[in-house]
């Protein structure tokens, strides 16, 4: 079975439904509050597992009810969480507003995620023995750098979703096989490195997700590959990018080409936006395959 390992964050999402996102200084009333599993790391691990990969998650939670809920959620999806630590900090929490168009704004309190500062020898072994390592930027950067270096040395494919965006050190970029960003993140990275050849020069494979327009893949000097998203009615975009990344990781871990994996993960993300919440919206493999079969 293809093996994916995710080193990243796990949060509990407090999601407020609002007619529109409040402007600075404005108060709006919520049409409903839900509490869901989330966090970019956990979301991507769940997406990889539901897409069919044997998935391991390395992260940190607090010794609190949210931490227990996160662990239970990982177990429900069959994700190996033996290396998840419990630390002396509250579990990560996200405050999310979702408007009537399905767009969101998110504030993350890292909490326990910020304590994931070291990788043990067991962590290193797990990273080295996986087919694909997937990471994001909601944990300390030094941990992301360390995991990427271990994976690079071991021949594990390194996928980085550079979200939330920040500039990326050269040693981290040098360890990447695949960089996944959205349009805003792509623009920020390109602006931070003028003259570096643009976003497509930052990794051997660069994917820019385009929301309802799908995604574009750049691989070296080859012509770009654009995959449009199916037309759907979006109710909540939260976790769509994470669904994309986890599904993409599972697809390349099982040997799909980058183009095939791109089609697979665009469809997975388009399914996720039709359901509210992050983890609750992530589709199972059978659903992705059925949708792909219907549009080919
Ligand atoms: O990408 C969506 C995720 O961002 C949410 O689940 C939230 O927890 C934040 O990490």
């Amino acid at each position: 079975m293809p093996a994916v390992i995710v080193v990243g964050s796990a949060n509990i999402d407090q999601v407020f439904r609002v007619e529109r996102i409040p402007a600075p200084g404005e108060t709006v009333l919520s049409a409903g509050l839900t509490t869901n599993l989330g966090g970019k790391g956990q979301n991507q691990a769940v997406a990889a597992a539901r897409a069919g990969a044997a998935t391991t998650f390395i992260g940190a939670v607090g010794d609190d009810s949210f931490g227990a809920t996160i662990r239970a959620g990982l177990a429900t999806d069959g994700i190996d969480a033996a290396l998840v630590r419990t630390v002396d900090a509250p579990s990560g929490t996200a405050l999310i507003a979702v408007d009537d168009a399905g767009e969101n704004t998110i504030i993350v309190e890292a909490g326990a995620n910020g304590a994931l500062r070291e990788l043990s020898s067991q962590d290193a072994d797990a990273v080295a023995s996986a087919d694909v390592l997937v990471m994001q930027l909601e944990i300390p950067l030094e941990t992301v750098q360390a995991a990427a270096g271990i994976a690079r040395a071991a021949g594990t494919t390194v996928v980085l979703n550079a979200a939330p965006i920040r500039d990326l050190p050269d040693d981290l970029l040098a360890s990447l096989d695949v960089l996944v960003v959205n349009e805003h993140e792509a623009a920020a990275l390109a602006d931070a490195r003028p003259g570096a050849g643009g976003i497509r020069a930052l990794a051997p494979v660069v994917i820019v997700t385009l929301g309802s327009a799908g995604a574009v893949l750049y691989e070296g000097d080859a012509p770009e590959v654009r995959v449009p998203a199916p037309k759907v009615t979006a109710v909540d975009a939260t976790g769509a990018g994470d669904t994309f990344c986890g599904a993409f990781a599972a697809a390349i871990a099982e040997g799909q080409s980058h183009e095939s994996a791109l089609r697979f993960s665009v469809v997975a993300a388009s399914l996720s936006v039709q359901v509210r919440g992050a983890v609750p919206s992530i589709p199972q493999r059978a659903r992705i395959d059925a949708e792909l079969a219907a549009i080919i």
Side-chain angles (χ1 to χ4, degrees), residues 11 13 38-40 43 94 96 106 108 138 238-239 242 278:
N11 295 332
D13 292 350
K40 297 185 194 304
N43 296 342
I96 303 179
I106 303 177
V108 174
E138 286 185 334
T238 310
D242 300 329

Side-chain angles (χ1 to χ4, degrees), residues 31-46:
L33 169 63
T34 49
T35 301
N36 299 318
L37 294 167
K40 297 185 194 304
Q42 179 170 217
N43 296 342
Q44 294 182 22
V46 170

